[in-house]
Amino acid sequence: MTVALRRRRPPAATSWTGLPLDHLDPDVERPFWISVAMLPGVGPATIARLVADAGSLRAAWLGGLVDRAVAELPGHQRQAAAAFLAYLRARGLRRHAAEILAQGRRLGIRAITALEADYPPALGHLDLRPPVLWAAGDEAAWQTTGVAVVGTRRPTGYGRAAAEEIGDELARARVTVVSGLAIGIDAAAHRAAIAAGGRTIAVLPSPIDRLYPPIHRELARQIVSTGGALLSELSPGRRHGRPDFARRNRVIAGLGEAVVVVEAPDGSGALLTADAAVGLGRELFAVPGPMDAATSRGTNRLIADHAATLVTSPAGLLNLIGLRRGGHPVSIRAMSEAEGIVLKTILNRSGSIEELRDRTKLATSPLAAALTMLEARGLVTAYAGATFHATPAARRSGWGRRAPEHDDRAAASA
């Protein structure tokens, strides 16, 4: 199976680029944008066409152009949209929008239309951009430079460690880490950014009040409480389905100045985000993996096909996208001789306890004790209880780059 990426997205029938929007009053237009954007099958291209034809979405609604657009939809979409359209007529479009907005306010969620000043600037230059976004959190998160980090839901320890290091370095460089809140690579990048004291944005495939996946409700709370944000194209109360994952991936790619794919097997949703990044003209990067690893087939092929630039280290990634490293190296208190040996070994290459025993020449008991202490210090982490990896804090410490005699002196002082 090959990874086919578009170099350029074909032009839409109606383009948002050059569409006159400055004369429109966001307050007057808001209810029409919120309600029309909720019609099944009516997406950015249709809304752009309606605005181009009528001058505003309000005029398109009042002039019957929305009804005409719904009538042109295919089969099941036409039926669903027509039913919702009838509901809007009976309920009253403005009343419907006011109720959705009030529901959102009670939950700490607000609507941002493409007409408003606080709409994400990275998306404001796209064609086609989401007409309406629903947001929870600090708008500063999407007003600053962002880089997307995506990957498989079933990462290896190597992939998880790479995502953590990249998320950590980006956050320390004051870059907003953008991802999709999914299990695996996404969650690792979000958590690393939070741990580094930075901002992160989770773009959801679901409404914010029906958060998906549910297991990450606490992570979502942490994202908002630490100055980050949650974004979704779906209004409060809506159900999500498979097409919404594809829309989510495009927003992730649009919010980032660059997209980094950490691990992605064939068929991974992360490759759809990579595809969207190329279509939107974003820089695409990929972390290489072992040639026999299924989780790295997609990323390795992106690199081999010259669709993505090779990432060899988090610092190298920052240099490639023109950013400086942030933060300061952590200081490590004097360690025991065994801890120093084990940490240097893991910094050189991750491994299982059996592999570390062979490489350090330590007996199992002192090796296990050293690993326990290193984990307690936050310098080593274990994935699936089997493979041990150095944490971003350990890599920033510079411990592995110290001369052996310096390490020996430090160990002797323990």
Side-chain angles (χ1 to χ4, degrees), residues 12 86 104 111 113 142 145-146 177 185 197 206 215 217 224 248 261 280 363 406:
T113 71
W142 64 77
T145 301
V177 175
I185 294 298
S206 64
I215 196 173
R217 286 195 183 101
V224 172
R248 184 272 305 270
V261 185
L280 296 173
H406 180 83

Side-chain angles (χ1 to χ4, degrees), residues 6-12 127-128 250 272 275-281:
R6 302 186 299 273
R7 285 297 173 186
R8 285 286 179 262
R9 181 180 296 275
D127 195 9
L128 301 156
R250 190 167 187 272
L272 298 179
D275 185 21
V278 172
L280 296 173

Side-chain angles (χ1 to χ4, degrees), residues 54-78:
S56 73
L57 211 49
R58 175 179 177 274
W61 172 266
L62 297 176
L65 272 66
V66 174
D67 302 71
R68 189 184 307 167
V70 167
E72 294 171 354
L73 293 172
H76 69 283
Q77 284 188 341
R78 182 174 63 252

